[in-house]
């Protein structure tokens, strides 16, 4: 069965360290997204991609970067982790077409920055 | 600005019916989505409305009024497994999803 997987599922790091969260999907979807979820907030979009070599900034992109070298993967990098980036991160994918709002989510990566 | 409002928490009884409301303000509109999220898990897609009216899918139904910027999710014959957060999201003119903070639904026996 097709799926979307994230790793690591749990990560504790220190302020200033670089962290990369992996996301791999086997749906063959063109669209991939990274969100963060914090208590009291809706899902907030960090970065997204509509295909290979395409990346776009979301509403909370400061301090994060992504790259899309193939269809399956969209790794999220925190260049210099800050305590404000402690959160649960979800990767998601959807079929081709920007109007497609049916997202398939990974199980999430819980990041703690000390 | 863009905004989605939904109640923070609701409580209902097993076997009953509950309606979760959502109001939205977006720059343009390309559809209203509902997702279910169990504690500690990923959100999963429930429904999509782009035209006014009611869409029924088993025990779950979703309603949309575009003129009022309003939607609701109706859950019938509640089961304990329906205890979860329900996320409302509206798609704006740039095809970006704007998410509400979610409604935590507590089901009591």
């Amino acid at each position: 069965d097709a799926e979307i997987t994230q790793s690591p599922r749990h990560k504790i790091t220190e302020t200033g360290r670089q962290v990369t969260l992996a996301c791999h999907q086997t749906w063959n979807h063109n669209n991939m997204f990274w969100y963060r979820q914090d208590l009291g907030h809706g899902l907030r979009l960090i970065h997204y991609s509509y295909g290979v070599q395409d990346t776009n900034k979301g509403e909370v992109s400061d301090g994060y970067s992504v790259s899309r070298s193939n269809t399956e993967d969209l790794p999220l990098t925190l260049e210099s982790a800050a305590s404000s980036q402690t959160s649960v991160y979800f990767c998601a994918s959807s079929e081709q077409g920007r109007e497609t709002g049916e997202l398939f989510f990974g199980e999430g990566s819980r990041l703690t920055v000390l | 600005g863009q905004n989605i409002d939904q109640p923070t928490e609701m409580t209902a009884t097993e076997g009953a019916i509950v309606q979760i409301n959502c109001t939205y303000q977006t720059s343009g509109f390309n559809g209203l989505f509902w997702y279910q999220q169990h504690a500690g898990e990923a959100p999963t897609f429930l429904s999509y409305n782009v035209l006014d009216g009611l869409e029924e899918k088993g025990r779950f139904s979703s309603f949309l009024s575009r003129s009022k910027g309003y939607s609701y999710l109706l859950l019938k014959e509640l089961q304990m497994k329906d205890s979860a957060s329900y996320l409302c999201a509206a798609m704006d003119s740039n095809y970006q999803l704007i998410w509400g903070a979610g409604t935590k639904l507590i089901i009591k026996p």
Side-chain angles (χ1 to χ4, degrees):
Chain A
D1 287 345
E3 59 181 2
I4 179 166
T5 54
Q6 295 182 227
S7 63
R9 296 289 312 282
H10 300 272
K11 174 79 175 179
I12 299 174
T13 191
E14 296 177 341
T15 302
R17 299 256 186 173
Q18 183 181 79
V19 176
T20 296
L21 305 179
C23 176
H24 179 82
Q25 53 100 1
T26 58
W27 291 100
N28 199 33
H29 286 163
N30 282 327
N31 305 337
M32 294 185 73
F33 309 83
W34 272 105
Y35 288 93
R36 61 178 289 174
Q37 187 174 43
D38 304 286
L39 204 62
H41 292 272
L43 288 164
R44 291 184 287 178
L45 184 62
I46 304 171
H47 282 283
Y48 60 102
S49 168
Y50 288 141
V52 177
Q53 302 301 332
D54 175 75
T55 60
N56 305 279
K57 294 181 178 181
E59 64 174 303
V60 292
S61 61
D62 287 349
Y64 304 94
S65 63
V66 294
S67 61
R68 186 88 180 271
S69 58
N70 58 51
T71 299
E72 295 80 17
D73 300 289
L74 187 72
L76 177 71
T77 297
L78 288 68
E79 302 294 343
S80 177
S83 57
S84 60
Q85 294 177 309
T86 292
S87 186
V88 179
Y89 292 86
F90 286 100
C91 180
S93 69
S94 68
E95 294 180 357
Q96 187 170 2
R98 292 184 303 163
E99 69 278 9
T100 303
E102 181 178 352
L103 304 182
F104 296 81
F105 284 86
E107 294 186 352
S109 295
R110 181 176 294 275
L111 176 67
T112 302
V113 183
L114 301 176
Chain B
Q2 306 199 100
N3 193 51
I4 306 287
D5 283 318
Q6 52 181 130
T8 302
E9 187 175 295
M10 299 181 71
T11 302
T13 304
E14 190 177 14
I17 300 172
V18 71
Q19 178 175 311
I20 302 173
N21 297 325
C22 170
T23 58
Y24 63 89
Q25 289 179 303
T26 54
S27 302
F29 180 75
N30 281 300
L32 194 291
F33 299 80
W34 285 96
Y35 281 75
Q36 181 189 59
Q37 185 178 24
H38 285 101
E41 297 184 8
T44 55
F45 171 79
L46 283 178
S47 69
Y48 164 62
N49 296 67
V50 68
L51 299 176
D52 285 356
L54 188 68
E55 295 277 347
E56 297 186 73
K57 193 184 295 185
R59 293 188 300 113
F60 292 10
S61 302
S62 56
F63 172 83
L64 176 67
S65 169
R66 293 178 64 140
S67 62
K68 296 182 179 179
Y70 168 71
S71 173
Y72 67 73
L73 182 69
L74 191 71
L75 291 73
K76 302 176 184 177
E77 301 170 13
L78 285 170
Q79 302 176 8
M80 297 303 293
K81 68 179 181 180
D82 298 329
S83 293
S85 288
Y86 292 86
L87 315 181
C88 173
M91 182 171 277
D92 69 12
S93 58
N94 293 320
Y95 301 99
Q96 296 298 319
L97 285 173
I98 311 302
W99 296 83
T103 298
K104 182 178 181 181
L105 179 63
I106 299 168
I107 310 295
K108 295 186 174 180

